Amino acid sequence: MLSVSISAGMYFENTGCQIMANKNNAPGQRGRRPLSIFAVLALCCFFYLLGAWQRSGSGKGDNLALKVNNLMSDCNIMPELSFESHHNDVEIIEPAEPKAKKIKACDVKYTDYTPCQEQDRAMTFPRENMIYRERHCPPEDEKLRCLIPAPNGYTTPFPWPKSRDYAYYANVPYKSLTVEKAVQNWVQFQGNVFKFPGGGTMFPQGADAYIDELASVIPIKDGSIRTALDTGCGVASWGAYMLKRNVLTMSFAPKDNHEAQVQFALERGVPAVIGVLGTIHLPYPARAFDMAQCSRCLIPWTSNG
């Protein structure tokens, strides 16, 4: 009971102190409030009077604003606006369109022209090692800069495999081989086409029978031979019939007095190239062919390396 009374006494004592303090502070606060209200009213009156003075036109800012308003109120005055481009001094480069270069056609006398295989030029070179049959290109100022024209009446060749045995005469208009090689069955002339019975110098009865004879000693059928080289190919009858046995053959022969022989091969779709084994290597790497064929072999294989 005693502890409670003491605590209660202390509480009332503290509360009394706080009340006394608040009472002592109240007069100061009452003095400040009228002063604050007076200051606010004074500022309001000042700004009101300032605004009234500005509105009356006595201020410099209003004079300037009035002039601007007067200018804008005149609808007859238009601003000077220019909508022209201001970069006329800069050259505008249009994109250049690609133009196909036009090359004129050669004279008709060049229908059978083969670059670097001119017969007249070839005869001026030595005959040792077949040098005169190799490629001999003209000097730069003598090279042709024109398109070789097709023979008159050129027709789209026959599709394979018919093209192996037939070619249009108009595409390769040369009959000399039909006479010179008649007994060897290289080529026959029938109507407006050439027929190629598959004969050759050493196999006048046809390349098929000759290849079968080779197959008796050479494994042609088992796939071990996939590529072959036919030297002195004539009209490439051997290479044409080797295609039937899945052997790809490159045939080549020089451009000699039988100048159309390689052309006959190409016109029929048989791989062939003008070439000769002389002093210049053929453009093929070592081991490019599994087999080399030379039916009537006049080639000195072991000479000159």
Side-chain angles (χ1 to χ4, degrees):
M1 292 295 290
L2 179 60
S3 61
V4 174
S5 299
I6 295 172
S7 299
M10 294 177 63
Y11 174 76
F12 286 114
E13 184 178 358
N14 292 333
T15 304
C17 292
Q18 292 178 356
I19 292 172
M20 291 298 292
N22 291 333
K23 289 180 179 180
N24 294 330
N25 294 333
Q29 291 179 352
R30 290 175 183 173
R32 291 193 189 97
R33 289 177 181 175
L35 182 61
S36 299
I37 294 173
F38 176 77
V40 172
L41 290 175
L43 288 174
C44 289
C45 292
F46 173 75
F47 284 114
Y48 175 78
L49 294 175
L50 181 62
W53 176 71
Q54 290 283 349
R55 190 171 182 81
S56 66
S58 301
K60 294 182 179 179
D62 262 2
N63 291 332
L64 182 60
L66 185 60
K67 290 180 180 180
V68 173
N69 289 336
N70 292 335
L71 289 174
M72 297 302 295
S73 63
D74 189 357
C75 298
N76 296 324
I77 300 177
M78 297 296 294
E80 295 182 3
L81 301 178
S82 174
F83 297 97
E84 298 294 330
S85 61
H86 297 280
H87 48 76
N88 295 330
D89 295 337
V90 180
E91 182 181 1
I92 300 176
I93 302 175
E94 296 293 335
E97 295 183 1
K99 295 182 180 180
K101 184 178 180 181
K102 294 183 179 180
I103 302 177
K104 64 178 182 179
C106 300
D107 192 271
V108 292
K109 68 180 181 180
Y110 292 107
T111 297
D112 298 319
Y113 177 79
T114 305
C116 307
Q117 295 286 348
E118 299 171 73
Q119 185 71 9
D120 294 339
R121 187 183 304 277
M123 298 307 294
T124 63
F125 288 86
R127 300 197 172 213
E128 293 84 4
N129 297 321
M130 301 293 289
I131 293 176
Y132 75 111
R133 294 296 186 197
E134 294 177 335
R135 287 171 57 88
H136 300 289
C137 297
E140 193 68 24
D141 58 339
E142 294 183 20
K143 290 182 180 179
L144 290 181
R145 306 293 182 184
C146 54
L147 296 176
I148 304 299
N152 186 29
Y154 187 86
T155 307
T156 302
F158 292 105
W160 188 269
K162 187 177 181 179
S163 65
R164 185 193 69 178
D165 302 325
Y166 293 95
Y168 286 107
Y169 168 75
N171 297 0
V172 197
Y174 302 103
K175 295 182 181 178
S176 59
L177 287 177
T178 63
V179 178
E180 295 181 24
K181 301 294 183 179
V183 296
Q184 298 176 8
N185 285 325
W186 279 29
V187 56
Q188 300 170 357
F189 179 65
Q190 298 179 353
N192 65 336
V193 299
F194 287 115
K195 181 181 179 181
F196 299 86
T201 302
M202 300 305 294
F203 42 91
Q205 302 307 316
D208 252 343
Y210 176 69
I211 293 172
D212 289 339
E213 186 178 352
L214 291 178
S216 64
V217 292
I218 299 174
I220 294 178
K221 297 181 180 180
D222 65 359
S224 58
I225 294 179
R226 304 298 301 276
T227 57
L229 184 69
D230 187 13
T231 64
C233 64
V235 294
S237 297
W238 190 81
Y241 281 85
M242 285 292 280
L243 286 173
K244 188 171 67 173
R245 291 163 171 80
N246 295 322
V247 177
L248 181 62
T249 303
M250 173 55 70
S251 305
F252 74 93
K255 187 174 181 180
D256 51 14
N257 55 323
H258 309 311
E259 56 183 73
Q261 53 188 342
V262 171
Q263 190 173 349
F264 275 132
L266 295 175
E267 188 64 30
R268 290 153 54 216
V270 181
V273 65
I274 296 175
V276 62
L277 289 178
T279 63
I280 301 174
H281 285 284
L282 292 178
Y284 308 109
R287 302 179 182 273
F289 301 100
D290 301 319
M291 175 182 177
Q293 147 75 6
C294 182
S295 61
R296 185 187 179 190
C297 209
L298 302 178
I299 299 171
W301 293 100
T302 59
S303 301
N304 304 317

